[in-house]
């Protein structure tokens, strides 16, 4: 294999693909990326048997097709530290030479034959979503994905289409987050692992643009594609919690709160919470203010935030961290917080828009 | 004690003073900072029995003198997270109240009586140095301070005045760095611990200005003062190596090199050096270029950099990391590198200026 390419183009592709390489593996090829030149296209692949990332880039000049596996970390750093401009990559047998100007690196690679095959999708089921919409759907819900594996299916977000509405939903034992958006496609549902969503989200732009990403499903695999990048991942299996039942309750009281003010105040209470001692904050919602109080072994704090409140005065205790996450991910100035009582779920939604719903479970105070 | 103060002023002083607080100590007061209000001045003190930092700040209003020790980390974070503006601090017995707007924190402090006394200096011996000059003298030499304690006196930098020239010198087993500057003071020498220099350097501005810092010595203590900040530290004792003998050799050959080009090339060789395998780089200096070569278990690299060279062709091996440090800390475009042979010290100096000298010891190649 022999080609020349712009250093920055190659370096960016290596950075992206190597996110799917195994950090440490008993199979050395999995710690590497597969570099493949075929018909004038370079494909860089990282794959850890659960998730794979492919990046397609164009060489400046291609001389000889071929493929080789190189250590993702070392090769990536070498390319990053090459002089700016054109780099020449040559592989002969297992020997890889990287050249630019007077600099010459030689490293040993692994034959491409030893690299595992990434499952191919037949792509029967495929739909498109706007790039920036997809990014915000993942961003607003990913905080509520469970990190421990009591129920492995909850270690991912559920994608669910019903009546041309796509919902992305995450739950852990104590909270939920849901974001909806209209799409045009048949009813379907599947659960994508958090790790895949994390990496995919990083590749997406926040800026509204007219680019679409495509999502394809095939049995237990998913493929997200964006221009020259593809992420392939297994899906999670199992029974996802019936979240609609928990989210759709009739509230007995409602507070309208400035999200930043409330989350700043709650953030201060965390100063008194050492890692060992997870103490809930006690909030008393009434008329025109919420009184915030916390008492731990470190000290105590109290504060009052103005709100609009309808319903009966309510004292409720919860983990401040979870409420802060819900407030921030509502991504709006004012939120509406609904209650049915001190022991029932708390629902957080943007005041002027119902595309996001956060649920936080309260705790018993003492 | 009771006073009000601007949040940012207090927060900055706490950040600086707490750098001298113990991170973990069997004496809880040492994990704290002493806050003392007396005659309209607030002094914030951190002290870990080796180094102390005092910051003097002015309250907005002072109501009652007093002193209290508070946990440096928790108190600092509370102040940082208070609403911007004026904060009110009150202590009654061990109880400390921090108030701003509607936010009220209560924490338990420790009586100031339990705080250790920082040694007072009589300040017989005192001289001044420009702030930015002092900063660059520490910055250019601190990399060569020994980090292990085979000879504890080398875990600091030697300050040495002779014939109105101040030298700051650091050495470890394999390299040296020296920076000189004219001052007006009597001959004297002392060794300041690296930790003290690290913290002091952070307080100094890079920008040339007409501010002076003062340095006072008293038996085994040093006091650096800058406006409202004071750092007090014990000095290191022992016989510092006789560096002048090693630095003042007559060279047999000299290379003139672009410091950035050479250090960039050497930096690339480090990619092949895993942590376990510290492999030297082999450089061949001749006529108009230096050939750089490295071969490790990971792979090999070579490069050529143009230089001006006088003397006989020379092959010499050294640790690339140490040479990079010397090149960078020469803080100039072109350096002059002097050799007497492959087994003798290498001397690195700015081409147009002799205020900095770096020494790197070579290693035997194979």
């Amino acid at each position: 294999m022999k080609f020349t390419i712009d250093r920055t183009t190659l370096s960016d592709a290596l950075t992206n693909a190597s996110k799917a390489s195994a950090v440490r593996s008993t199979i050395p090829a999995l710690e590497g990326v597969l570099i493949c030149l075929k018909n004038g296209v370079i494909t860089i692949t990282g794959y850890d048997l659960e998730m794979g990332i492919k990046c397609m880039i164009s060489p400046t000049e291609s001389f000889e097709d071929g493929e080789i596996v190189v250590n993702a970390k070392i090769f990536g750093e070498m390319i990053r530290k090459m002089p700016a401009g054109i780099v020449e990559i040559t592989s002969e047998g297992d020997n890889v030479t990287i050249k630019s100007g007077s600099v010459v690196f030689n490293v040993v690679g692994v034959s491409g034959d030893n690299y595992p095959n990434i499952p191919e999708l037949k792509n029967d089921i495929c739909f498109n979503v706007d790039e920036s919409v997809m990014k915000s759907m993942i961003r607003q819900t990913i905080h509520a994905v469970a990190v421990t594996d009591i129920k492995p299916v909850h270690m991912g977000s559920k994608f669910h289409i019903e009546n041309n509405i796509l919902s992305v939903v995450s739950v852990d034992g104590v909270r939920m987050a849901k974001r909806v958006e209209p799409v045009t496609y048949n009813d379907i549902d599947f659960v994508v692992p958090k790790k895949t969503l994390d990496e995919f989200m990083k590749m997406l732009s926040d800026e509204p643009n007219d680019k679409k990403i495509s999502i394809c499903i095939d049995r237990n695999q998913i493929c997200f594609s964006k221009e020259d990048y593809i992420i392939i991942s297994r899906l999670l299996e199992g029974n996802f919690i019936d979240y609609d039942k928990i989210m759709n309750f009739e509230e007995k009281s409602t507070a309208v709160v400035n999200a930043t003010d409330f989350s700043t105040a709650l953030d201060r209470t965390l100063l008194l919470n050492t890692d060992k001692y997870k103490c809930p904050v006690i909030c008393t919602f009434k008329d025109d203010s919420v009184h915030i109080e916390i008492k731990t072994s470190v000290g105590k704090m109290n504060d009052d935030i103005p709100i609009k409140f309808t319903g009966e005065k309510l004292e409720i205790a919860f983990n401040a961290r979870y409420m802060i996450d819900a407030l921030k991910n509502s991504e709006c100035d004012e939120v509406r917080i609904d209650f049915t009582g001190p022991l029932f779920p708390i629902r957080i939604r943007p005041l002027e828009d119902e595309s996001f719903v956060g649920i936080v479970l309260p705790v018993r105070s003492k």
Side-chain angles (χ1 to χ4, degrees), chain A residues 184-248:
Chain A
T184 313
Y185 200 70
N186 311 328
D187 292 6
I188 186 180
D189 62 60
F190 52 88
V191 180
V192 187
K194 180 175 187 292
K195 191 189 164 196
T196 308
L197 294 172
D198 269 332
E199 294 308 338
F200 185 51
M201 187 169 65
K202 283 182 208 154
M203 289 183 190
L204 300 178
S205 164
D206 283 312
E207 301 296 318
N209 58 39
D210 51 7
K211 287 181 194 155
K212 299 267 181 193
I213 60 105
S214 100
I215 300 175
C216 299
I217 308 292
D218 187 6
R219 278 162 305 160
N220 61 347
Q221 296 284 336
I222 186 166
C223 170
F224 290 104
S225 335
K226 183 214 162 185
E227 292 158 351
D228 303 330
Y229 287 93
I230 294 174
I231 298 196
I232 290 158
S233 161
R234 70 184 176 95
L235 293 169
L236 295 178
E237 285 169 39
N239 288 322
F240 208 82
I241 198 169
D242 184 359
Y243 51 86
D244 271 335
K245 260 194 195 157
I246 298 163
M247 286 180 167
N248 296 328

Side-chain angles (χ1 to χ4, degrees), chain A residues 176-179 247 347-350 354-359:
Chain A
M176 297 185 180
K178 177 184 172 183
R179 167 73 198 278
M247 286 180 167
R347 181 172 59 211
I348 301 100
R349 283 181 296 182
E354 306 225 323
S355 67
F356 172 82
V357 186
I359 297 283

Side-chain angles (χ1 to χ4, degrees), chain A residues 133-150:
Chain A
V133 167
M134 186 76 267
K135 179 152 188 169
S136 74
M137 292 188 90
I138 301 172
R139 184 183 59 223
Q140 285 184 271
T141 52
I142 205 162
H143 68 279
V145 176
V147 283
T148 51
D149 56 351
I150 303 168

Side-chain angles (χ1 to χ4, degrees), chain A residues 246-247 249 316 338-347 358-362:
Chain A
I246 298 163
M247 286 180 167
F249 61 81
I316 193 164
D338 298 320
F339 310 90
T340 37
L343 299 177
F344 294 97
I346 307 168
R347 181 172 59 211
I359 297 283
V360 172
L361 296 192

Side-chain angles (χ1 to χ4, degrees), chain A residues 65-86:
Chain A
D65 283 6
E67 58 179 19
I68 188 90
V69 180
V70 287
N71 182 288
K73 190 163 169 271
I74 294 168
F75 191 78
E77 281 179 8
M78 281 174 182
I79 300 298
R80 218 172 357 267
K81 294 216 168 175
M82 275 291 179
I86 299 297

Side-chain angles (χ1 to χ4, degrees), chain A residues 101-162:
Chain A
S102 58
V103 188
V104 184
F105 273 111
N106 287 288
V107 285
V108 175
V110 174
S111 159
D113 303 341
N114 295 329
Y115 203 75
N117 286 321
I118 297 195
E120 297 276 328
L121 274 75
K122 288 203 213 84
N123 299 351
D124 288 322
I125 301 171
C126 267
F127 60 97
N128 295 321
V129 184
D130 283 341
E131 179 174 354
S132 59
V133 167
M134 186 76 267
K135 179 152 188 169
S136 74
M137 292 188 90
I138 301 172
R139 184 183 59 223
Q140 285 184 271
T141 52
I142 205 162
H143 68 279
V145 176
V147 283
T148 51
D149 56 351
I150 303 168
K151 207 173 167 191
V153 71
H154 290 158
M155 293 175 72
S157 293
K158 180 162 182 162
F159 284 58
H160 177 76
I161 303 182
E162 201 178 323

